[in-house]
PDB file of all heavy atoms in Angstrom:
ATOM      1  N   HIS A  36     -26.898  94.506  90.024  1.00  0.00           N
ATOM      2  CA  HIS A  36     -25.444  94.583  89.809  1.00  0.00           C
ATOM      3  C   HIS A  36     -24.877  95.832  90.474  1.00  0.00           C
ATOM      4  O   HIS A  36     -25.118  96.946  90.008  1.00  0.00           O
ATOM      5  CB  HIS A  36     -25.196  94.598  88.289  1.00  0.00           C
ATOM      6  CG  HIS A  36     -23.762  94.511  87.887  1.00  0.00           C
ATOM      7  ND1 HIS A  36     -23.392  94.396  86.564  1.00  0.00           N
ATOM      8  CD2 HIS A  36     -22.611  94.528  88.592  1.00  0.00           C
ATOM      9  CE1 HIS A  36     -22.072  94.349  86.477  1.00  0.00           C
ATOM     10  NE2 HIS A  36     -21.575  94.432  87.707  1.00  0.00           N
ATOM     11  N   HIS A  38     -21.394  97.207  93.369  1.00  0.00           N
ATOM     12  CA  HIS A  38     -20.135  96.841  94.029  1.00  0.00           C
ATOM     13  C   HIS A  38     -19.939  97.582  95.343  1.00  0.00           C
ATOM     14  O   HIS A  38     -20.607  98.580  95.614  1.00  0.00           O
ATOM     15  CB  HIS A  38     -18.955  97.090  93.088  1.00  0.00           C
ATOM     16  CG  HIS A  38     -18.979  96.197  91.891  1.00  0.00           C
ATOM     17  ND1 HIS A  38     -18.498  94.909  91.912  1.00  0.00           N
ATOM     18  CD2 HIS A  38     -19.484  96.385  90.638  1.00  0.00           C
ATOM     19  CE1 HIS A  38     -18.679  94.345  90.722  1.00  0.00           C
ATOM     20  NE2 HIS A  38     -19.280  95.217  89.936  1.00  0.00           N
ATOM     21  N   HIS A  69     -17.102  91.151  92.631  1.00  0.00           N
ATOM     22  CA  HIS A  69     -16.233  90.356  91.753  1.00  0.00           C
ATOM     23  C   HIS A  69     -15.730  89.117  92.494  1.00  0.00           C
ATOM     24  O   HIS A  69     -14.955  89.220  93.460  1.00  0.00           O
ATOM     25  CB  HIS A  69     -15.015  91.179  91.313  1.00  0.00           C
ATOM     26  CG  HIS A  69     -15.346  92.354  90.455  1.00  0.00           C
ATOM     27  ND1 HIS A  69     -15.762  92.244  89.142  1.00  0.00           N
ATOM     28  CD2 HIS A  69     -15.320  93.690  90.722  1.00  0.00           C
ATOM     29  CE1 HIS A  69     -15.960  93.445  88.633  1.00  0.00           C
ATOM     30  NE2 HIS A  69     -15.706  94.337  89.560  1.00  0.00           N
ATOM     31  N   GLU A  95     -20.525  88.690  90.986  1.00  0.00           N
ATOM     32  CA  GLU A  95     -20.215  88.880  89.567  1.00  0.00           C
ATOM     33  C   GLU A  95     -19.046  87.960  89.240  1.00  0.00           C
ATOM     34  O   GLU A  95     -17.899  88.226  89.645  1.00  0.00           O
ATOM     35  CB  GLU A  95     -19.856  90.336  89.235  1.00  0.00           C
ATOM     36  CG  GLU A  95     -19.626  90.530  87.728  1.00  0.00           C
ATOM     37  CD  GLU A  95     -19.347  91.965  87.304  1.00  0.00           C
ATOM     38  OE1 GLU A  95     -18.931  92.772  88.143  1.00  0.00           O
ATOM     39  OE2 GLU A  95     -19.539  92.264  86.103  1.00  0.00           O
ATOM     40  N   HIS A 103     -17.889  88.741  82.196  1.00  0.00           N
ATOM     41  CA  HIS A 103     -18.382  89.012  83.542  1.00  0.00           C
ATOM     42  C   HIS A 103     -19.856  88.600  83.560  1.00  0.00           C
ATOM     43  O   HIS A 103     -20.611  88.992  82.671  1.00  0.00           O
ATOM     44  CB  HIS A 103     -18.286  90.498  83.888  1.00  0.00           C
ATOM     45  CG  HIS A 103     -16.888  91.009  84.027  1.00  0.00           C
ATOM     46  ND1 HIS A 103     -16.607  92.252  84.541  1.00  0.00           N
ATOM     47  CD2 HIS A 103     -15.687  90.451  83.722  1.00  0.00           C
ATOM     48  CE1 HIS A 103     -15.297  92.443  84.553  1.00  0.00           C
ATOM     49  NE2 HIS A 103     -14.712  91.372  84.054  1.00  0.00           N
ATOM     50  N   ASN A 146     -23.026  90.058  81.642  1.00  0.00           N
ATOM     51  CA  ASN A 146     -22.928  91.507  81.862  1.00  0.00           C
ATOM     52  C   ASN A 146     -22.199  92.232  80.728  1.00  0.00           C
ATOM     53  O   ASN A 146     -21.327  91.666  80.054  1.00  0.00           O
ATOM     54  CB  ASN A 146     -22.195  91.773  83.181  1.00  0.00           C
ATOM     55  CG  ASN A 146     -23.023  91.341  84.378  1.00  0.00           C
ATOM     56  OD1 ASN A 146     -24.235  91.130  84.259  1.00  0.00           O
ATOM     57  ND2 ASN A 146     -22.385  91.203  85.524  1.00  0.00           N
ATOM     58  N   HIS A 147     -22.561  93.488  80.565  1.00  0.00           N
ATOM     59  CA  HIS A 147     -21.910  94.466  79.667  1.00  0.00           C
ATOM     60  C   HIS A 147     -21.132  93.807  78.501  1.00  0.00           C
ATOM     61  O   HIS A 147     -19.892  93.877  78.468  1.00  0.00           O
ATOM     62  CB  HIS A 147     -20.996  95.396  80.464  1.00  0.00           C
ATOM     63  CG  HIS A 147     -20.096  94.725  81.480  1.00  0.00           C
ATOM     64  ND1 HIS A 147     -19.121  93.820  81.140  1.00  0.00           N
ATOM     65  CD2 HIS A 147     -20.017  94.838  82.824  1.00  0.00           C
ATOM     66  CE1 HIS A 147     -18.479  93.414  82.224  1.00  0.00           C
ATOM     67  NE2 HIS A 147     -19.023  94.011  83.264  1.00  0.00           N
ATOM     68  N   PHE A 150     -18.195  95.716  76.785  1.00  0.00           N
ATOM     69  CA  PHE A 150     -17.005  96.114  77.546  1.00  0.00           C
ATOM     70  C   PHE A 150     -15.784  95.638  76.752  1.00  0.00           C
ATOM     71  O   PHE A 150     -15.637  94.449  76.482  1.00  0.00           O
ATOM     72  CB  PHE A 150     -17.063  95.434  78.920  1.00  0.00           C
ATOM     73  CG  PHE A 150     -15.950  95.796  79.860  1.00  0.00           C
ATOM     74  CD1 PHE A 150     -15.526  97.103  80.020  1.00  0.00           C
ATOM     75  CD2 PHE A 150     -15.338  94.808  80.621  1.00  0.00           C
ATOM     76  CE1 PHE A 150     -14.509  97.432  80.903  1.00  0.00           C
ATOM     77  CE2 PHE A 150     -14.320  95.119  81.518  1.00  0.00           C
ATOM     78  CZ  PHE A 150     -13.904  96.438  81.650  1.00  0.00           C
ATOM     79  N   ASP A 209     -24.249  98.622  87.925  1.00  0.00           N
ATOM     80  CA  ASP A 209     -22.819  98.301  88.043  1.00  0.00           C
ATOM     81  C   ASP A 209     -22.114  99.425  88.813  1.00  0.00           C
ATOM     82  O   ASP A 209     -21.024  99.866  88.445  1.00  0.00           O
ATOM     83  CB  ASP A 209     -22.197  98.116  86.650  1.00  0.00           C
ATOM     84  CG  ASP A 209     -20.866  97.393  86.680  1.00  0.00           C
ATOM     85  OD1 ASP A 209     -20.407  97.028  87.783  1.00  0.00           O
ATOM     86  OD2 ASP A 209     -20.278  97.203  85.601  1.00  0.00           O
TER      87      ASP A 209
HETATM   88 ZN1   ZN B   1     -18.211  93.640  85.158  1.00  0.00          ZN
END
Side-chain angles (χ1 to χ4, degrees):
H36 187 174
H38 294 277
H69 295 288
E95 184 177 21
H103 292 191
N146 292 344
H147 46 63
F150 183 44
D209 197 0

